[in-house]
Amino acid sequence: MAFHPIAETGKGRRRGMHVFRWALISATVLASAAPPAFAERLLVKDQAGFNQAAKRARPGDVILLADGEWRDFQIMFEGHGAADKPITLTAQTKGRVILTGQSNLRLAGEYLVVSGLVFRNGYTPTTDVIAFRRDSKASASHSRVTEIVIDGFNQPDRRKEDRWVSLHGRHNRVDHSHFAGKANAGVTLAVIRQSGQPLDNRHEIDHNYFGPRPPLGSNGGETIRIGTSEESLSASNTIVEDNYFERCDGEVEIVSIKSGGNVLRRNTFFESQGALVLRHGNGNLVEDNVFLGNGRANTGGVRVINTGQTVRGNYMEGLAGTGFSSAITVMNGVPNSPINRYHQVRKALIERNSVIDSARITLGAGADAERSAPPIDSRFERNLIVSSQGADPFRVDADISGVALAGNIQEGATDARLRQGVAQQRVALSRATNGLLYPIDAALAEIGAPRTLRPVTKQETGTPWYPKPGAATADFGDGRRLAAGASLAKAIAAARNGDTIVLGAGEHVVDAPLAISRTLTIAGPQAGAPAMLRFVRSPLFRIERGGRLRLQNVTVSGAQADTMPGNAVIRTGDGSMSENYAIEIVDSNFRDLDRSPGFDVIATTPSTLAEHVLIHASRFEGVSGAVIAAHSETGGQGHYNAEQVEIAASEFRNVGMIADIFRSGRDESTFGPRFSLTGSIVTGSGKEAGVSLRLSGVQFTSIKGNRFAGSGGIEVTHSVGTPDTRITDNRFEATPAPLVRELYAKGPPRAVLANNVAVN
Ligand code: CA
């Protein structure tokens, strides 16, 4: 068991806090009346005061940081407490000590406790916000970080990597803390395991609130990682329990286990994209977790790799993920795998899980020429699989004779290979008081997740004194409707998140770029003459940190724009943006954007990510560049500029390219980019390049029901992952047929081309 300076569990939390307060008060009283052997309670008001207090702190002492903002404070908390007398660093009032600017916290020694601090409005100048070590020579053990908040404490450059919490040493605990809004590269919380350092860590990570983490658009967006592949064959024996993960969407691994002997239990994963992945290491236990997807795309469950993994008693409902992010994924391995690839699954025990209304269970996932070793010596027993829509979630991608199936119950059709051990049965469910669905039939009591499950709630995690994010931030159209008046620039500066600025009818000339740093809609009048925006300096709109822009019912003309090459109507700001942005264009017209070469409508810059770009019922005529230019990334790390691009019911006439989207690299860590083009008309476009639509490394493509005439063709290049490309029901008049090619995979291109009509 790890050391708990103040013994408490989830249930005993209030009592624990009470004891804590009492201890503080008695220490103060005793300090004034007794010899110096007694513990002290020291209130410090500046960094020098803290350094002095920390230097002379003895077991049992409590150092309090005075309420207020502490700017550019790199806290070095080093000391040696005792098992029954830790040295404590806390806030005068929990939640009222705010670390801002370039701040961080390092702990070294033993029996230390830190609580009550908030990191906000800044970022760490080092590789960690909180590190359980001073440097490579001194780490912390038997220490605890509790009721700490790290909120949006991001590097300004999204590519710059850091970790919010790095656990070193042994027997440390991180609990009841709040981590939300990490947007730059790097794991939110990592257990660091290096040779020469302790490997049998026995840390505890419990009752934390892991709040929304937006897609990173590359590898390195995990919320928790335990170890790395190098030391993965040793056991960390870390416990991750009773944590709440809300919309942790950083990448395909929400939790990445790269060591053995870990226990992950009673955690709730709420609408989080990705999966709990047993990536490296053996003998891990994943038990009694609850995964609730609510049908959100890419929400997954548990992915099994390696030897001796147990996945038991988990409840999964409404998970829409497929492939590597299925509710349950059992992977194929690489024969004699190198340490950093995929070890064959052996001796996996997957029992008594409930998979309700979820898209997929994949056995033998990832089977290909390299991953050719199917799971062996494994068991899949007494699982309950129910799909109210009647769909069969099972997909078998390899030989699964090494997986013994027994006592499973499924409602819905079944793959012939699963007929033994998966009984077909109608299962009526009802929702129990714990909020989860169970069979009404008492005879099925021992099938699927146990009735004793009690999903940890959001309220039970994090700290009571720091508010958790509510529903999504202000969306387009949520706020006030304001008239643009004489100056659109002034109206934008005065607008608040979610507001709509309504332009008057007629022409508006904009002579300098308009910076967008909030969620704003700019709309033409609902009736009467249309509103036209003419601009002089490119870009018309510059998206800055926090910016999301919707254009509705407006016409944009570039007829007066300066004739520099590389102009754009909308461009992201210079440099990286740690926050993702979004652009929506609805019922709008764009024209005269061809007076100089390479004039784009939307141009993305490196190290920025559009969470979505939506174009609906809009018309583009005379564009010399691309309507969506999202190809600014280079290098092999799998970076890209747009997560989801959706175009529908729109018209493109004489445009250079509809979209040019590029995702670099061979890494399999992302869900995007995703692209769809539906019900649109493309004429005389892409003639110069011979291509009207270029997609490279896109993971999901749907091009359906469009008409192309006298235009360049569609070019789709598959690089990594399991790209899903469908080009159907289109008409190509005097336009080359679509070209789909594979960069790495052998065999014919993996795409569905159907019901397309070619007319010359
Ligand atoms: Ca990863």
Side-chain angles (χ1 to χ4, degrees):
M1 261 324 270
F3 163 72
H4 296 170
I6 288 111
E8 63 186 52
T9 62
K11 279 182 188 158
R13 178 157 186 258
R14 281 192 184 287
R15 209 167 133 227
M17 297 317 293
H18 184 72
V19 170
F20 182 68
R21 294 234 167 75
W22 179 85
L24 280 185
I25 293 158
S26 64
T28 317
V29 171
L30 291 169
S32 55
F38 286 93
E40 275 196 276
R41 186 171 182 270
L42 294 156
L43 179 66
V44 297
K45 299 199 164 152
D46 54 29
Q47 296 189 25
F50 166 77
N51 290 336
Q52 272 183 0
K55 206 166 275 175
R56 57 177 200 174
R58 288 159 308 173
D61 283 357
V62 177
I63 303 170
L64 298 119
L65 299 183
D67 289 353
E69 179 181 350
W70 293 67
R71 197 171 175 81
D72 299 333
F73 185 15
Q74 296 196 47
I75 306 173
M76 175 65 74
F77 184 40
E78 188 164 10
H80 295 269
D84 56 342
K85 287 181 184 170
I87 303 172
T88 300
L89 167 63
T90 188
Q92 183 182 8
T93 310
K94 281 182 179 172
R96 298 229 180 120
V97 172
I98 318 291
L99 283 298
T100 65
Q102 303 210 359
S103 297
N104 61 19
L105 165 67
R106 276 175 281 182
L107 301 88
E110 53 187 357
Y111 300 109
L112 307 172
V113 180
V114 182
S115 68
L117 312 180
V118 176
F119 290 86
R120 199 167 61 198
N121 299 333
Y123 56 94
T124 178
T126 60
T127 52
D128 315 276
V129 180
I130 298 175
F132 281 74
R133 70 171 196 176
R134 184 192 68 204
D135 51 34
S136 60
K137 293 184 184 68
S139 61
S141 286
H142 298 287
S143 293
R144 179 178 178 199
V145 163
T146 181
E147 289 199 79
I148 291 285
V149 172
I150 307 180
D151 184 359
F153 208 64
N154 292 315
Q155 301 288 335
D157 181 342
R158 64 184 295 116
R159 296 276 186 80
K160 191 147 188 216
E161 187 171 335
D162 63 16
R163 294 179 292 253
W164 279 7
V165 181
S166 290
L167 282 151
H168 298 263
R170 300 184 67 202
H171 294 292
N172 293 312
R173 183 178 179 202
V174 177
D175 67 283
H176 295 95
S177 291
H178 174 121
F179 307 110
K182 190 172 201 296
N184 65 308
V187 185
T188 307
L189 183 153
V191 173
I192 308 296
R193 307 178 76 245
Q194 292 157 334
S195 83
Q197 302 288 332
L199 295 173
D200 183 15
N201 307 112
R202 297 184 188 264
H203 300 310
E204 286 185 66
I205 300 160
D206 64 276
H207 295 91
N208 299 292
Y209 172 70
F210 292 97
R213 174 156 197 186
L216 179 62
S218 75
N219 191 13
E222 302 88 352
T223 294
I224 291 182
R225 176 168 56 70
I226 302 180
T228 50
S229 61
E230 291 85 353
E231 302 299 331
S232 60
L233 295 181
S234 57
S236 174
N237 295 317
T238 290
I239 294 174
V240 179
E241 64 186 9
D242 300 312
N243 300 284
Y244 194 89
F245 298 83
E246 179 168 28
R247 292 198 166 222
C248 292
D249 302 339
E251 60 144 277
V252 297
E253 297 175 285
I254 307 167
V255 175
S256 180
I257 301 299
K258 296 186 171 179
S259 52
N262 301 293
V263 175
L264 301 109
R265 65 187 166 210
R266 300 191 308 263
N267 302 286
T268 297
F269 295 84
F270 182 78
E271 295 185 2
S272 290
Q273 296 184 326
L276 189 171
V277 182
L278 302 173
R279 185 66 189 82
H280 300 296
N282 305 318
N284 294 291
L285 173 62
V286 180
E287 187 169 36
D288 296 350
N289 299 283
V290 173
F291 298 79
L292 302 173
N294 288 332
R296 192 164 178 249
N298 304 317
T299 46
V302 182
R303 175 146 63 106
V304 178
I305 307 155
N306 310 296
T307 299
Q309 316 284 27
T310 301
V311 178
R312 185 163 64 203
N314 300 286
Y315 180 91
M316 292 134 170
E317 184 183 345
L319 302 182
T322 58
F324 288 6
S325 296
S326 302
I328 296 173
T329 310
V330 179
M331 281 198 70
N332 250 33
V334 175
N336 303 311
S337 175
I339 193 78
N340 63 348
R341 289 299 292 159
Y342 291 86
H343 286 279
Q344 186 175 25
V345 172
R346 298 163 194 265
K347 296 186 178 157
L349 175 59
I350 299 166
E351 64 172 2
R352 291 208 61 182
N353 302 286
S354 289
V355 181
I356 316 273
D357 289 335
S358 293
R360 196 78 83 231
I361 294 170
T362 306
L363 305 179
D368 60 17
E370 183 208 15
R371 287 182 291 231
S372 61
I376 55 168
D377 298 334
S378 295
R379 293 189 289 158
F380 189 94
E381 296 177 352
R382 292 190 292 158
N383 298 288
L384 177 72
I385 300 115
V386 181
S387 301
S388 54
Q389 302 301 320
D392 178 7
F394 271 109
R395 170 145 324 163
V396 177
D397 289 342
D399 168 25
I400 55 156
S401 56
V403 181
L405 297 121
N408 302 288
I409 303 283
Q410 184 189 9
E411 181 179 322
T414 293
D415 190 295
R417 287 166 287 189
L418 303 168
R419 232 163 243 154
Q420 290 219 326
V422 184
Q424 292 301 300
Q425 188 175 329
R426 257 208 69 88
V427 183
L429 302 173
S430 72
R431 214 168 272 283
T433 49
N434 64 0
L436 310 181
L437 289 165
Y438 292 95
I440 291 168
D441 185 351
L444 300 180
E446 300 299 312
I447 310 293
R451 285 185 172 265
T452 50
L453 278 193
R454 203 185 66 81
V456 70
T457 64
K458 200 164 151 176
Q459 290 70 30
E460 290 170 300
T461 61
T463 89
W465 45 259
Y466 198 85
K468 297 181 176 63
T473 48
D475 207 348
F476 296 118
D478 280 357
R480 310 165 295 173
R481 283 181 76 84
L482 311 166
S487 164
L488 182 55
K490 277 190 186 147
I492 288 172
R496 297 200 294 252
N497 249 336
D499 283 353
T500 298
I501 298 172
V502 183
L503 295 165
E507 291 198 1
H508 303 260
V509 177
V510 177
D511 48 19
L514 300 164
I516 305 293
S517 58
R518 281 180 285 278
T519 296
L520 288 185
T521 301
I522 295 176
Q526 278 168 319
M532 177 180 294
L533 286 168
R534 291 180 174 277
F535 65 113
V536 179
R537 294 275 302 204
S538 165
L540 171 56
F541 296 104
R542 193 175 58 236
I543 307 288
E544 301 194 331
R545 183 171 175 185
R548 300 168 83 238
L549 175 65
R550 178 176 199 167
L551 297 177
Q552 187 159 15
N553 196 23
V554 296
T555 295
V556 174
S557 166
Q560 275 164 260
D562 52 25
T563 50
M564 302 282 284
N567 280 350
V569 178
I570 305 170
R571 183 190 293 284
T572 44
D574 292 332
S576 168
M577 291 201 303
S578 59
E579 278 177 51
N580 298 341
Y581 67 99
I583 294 172
E584 299 189 354
I585 293 173
V586 181
D587 294 327
S588 293
N589 295 291
F590 292 76
R591 63 188 209 210
D592 312 318
L593 304 170
D594 54 1
R595 292 171 62 244
S596 54
F599 203 139
D600 300 323
V601 176
I602 299 169
T604 68
T605 44
S607 207
T608 62
L609 181 68
E611 200 141 313
H612 73 263
V613 175
L614 181 146
I615 294 175
H616 189 261
S618 293
R619 189 181 149 100
F620 302 83
E621 181 164 9
V623 178
S624 61
V627 173
I628 301 169
H631 55 87
S632 67
E633 298 295 353
T634 52
Q637 280 78 49
H639 296 294
Y640 53 93
N641 295 123
E643 183 73 16
Q644 179 158 9
V645 174
E646 208 178 312
I647 304 171
S650 292
E651 191 173 345
F652 301 86
R653 187 178 290 271
N654 301 326
V655 307
M657 219 179 277
I658 303 164
D660 190 354
I661 301 175
F662 176 68
R663 177 204 191 274
S664 68
R666 301 191 65 167
D667 172 273
E668 291 177 311
S669 303
T670 68
F671 290 113
R674 298 169 67 86
F675 176 86
S676 72
L677 174 69
T678 318
S680 295
I681 298 169
V682 182
T683 346
S685 295
K687 287 200 289 202
E688 199 171 314
V691 183
S692 59
L693 173 60
R694 182 153 56 203
L695 308 174
S696 181
V698 173
Q699 298 296 301
F700 178 87
T701 301
S702 170
I703 299 170
K704 186 175 181 187
N706 306 287
R707 183 174 149 235
F708 288 74
S711 293
I714 298 169
E715 228 179 71
V716 178
T717 305
H718 290 162
S719 53
V720 295
T722 47
D724 181 340
T725 296
R726 294 153 201 261
I727 304 175
T728 59
D729 306 296
N730 302 287
R731 191 174 164 88
F732 297 100
E733 298 169 13
T735 298
L739 178 68
V740 181
R741 58 183 175 196
E742 297 285 345
L743 228 43
Y744 308 117
K746 305 277 181 278
R750 297 165 289 175
V752 176
L753 280 85
N755 298 330
N756 298 301
V757 176
V759 184
N760 283 318

